[in-house]
Amino acid sequence: DDAFSFCDNLTSITVNNNNNYYSSQDGVLFNKNKTTLIQYPKGNTRTSYTIPNSVTSIGRYAFSYCGKLTSVTIGDSVTSIGNYAF
């Protein structure tokens, strides 16, 4: 939890495809099978983001302090949103 909490200038997270535990898509950090969105990079300048349909859980603090982000589309697959996710 909170691994990138104060990385305000972090614009993208890239995970090697051979990593056994984590993955990334469009600069966003997920667990390996992309069922949990772990961290949206705080310095990313996008104003909107659509969570992939594979995601069932949004992690704690995943979108906290993402100042540029004004819209997040959450699909029906999401059944759990962690504390302080937004």
Side-chain angles (χ1 to χ4, degrees), residues 5 12 56 59 67 72:
S5 291
S12 182
T56 59
V72 176

Side-chain angles (χ1 to χ4, degrees), residues 66-83:
C66 294
K68 302 281 186 197
L69 200 56
T70 59
S71 171
V72 176
T73 302
I74 303 171
D76 292 338
S77 61
V78 174
T79 58
S80 171
I81 299 176
N83 293 336

Side-chain angles (χ1 to χ4, degrees), residues 17-45:
N17 289 334
N18 295 325
N19 188 295
N20 292 324
Y21 305 100
Y22 299 99
S23 62
S24 59
Q25 181 178 326
D26 298 327
V28 179
L29 180 65
F30 298 88
N31 66 336
K32 182 64 178 179
N33 56 359
K34 293 187 177 82
T35 57
T36 300
L37 189 152
I38 297 170
Q39 185 68 60
Y40 182 92
K42 293 180 184 7
N44 191 293
T45 58

Side-chain angles (χ1 to χ4, degrees), residues 52-64:
N53 289 331
S54 62
V55 173
T56 59
S57 176
I58 299 171
R60 293 180 59 208
Y61 298 97
F63 291 95
S64 290

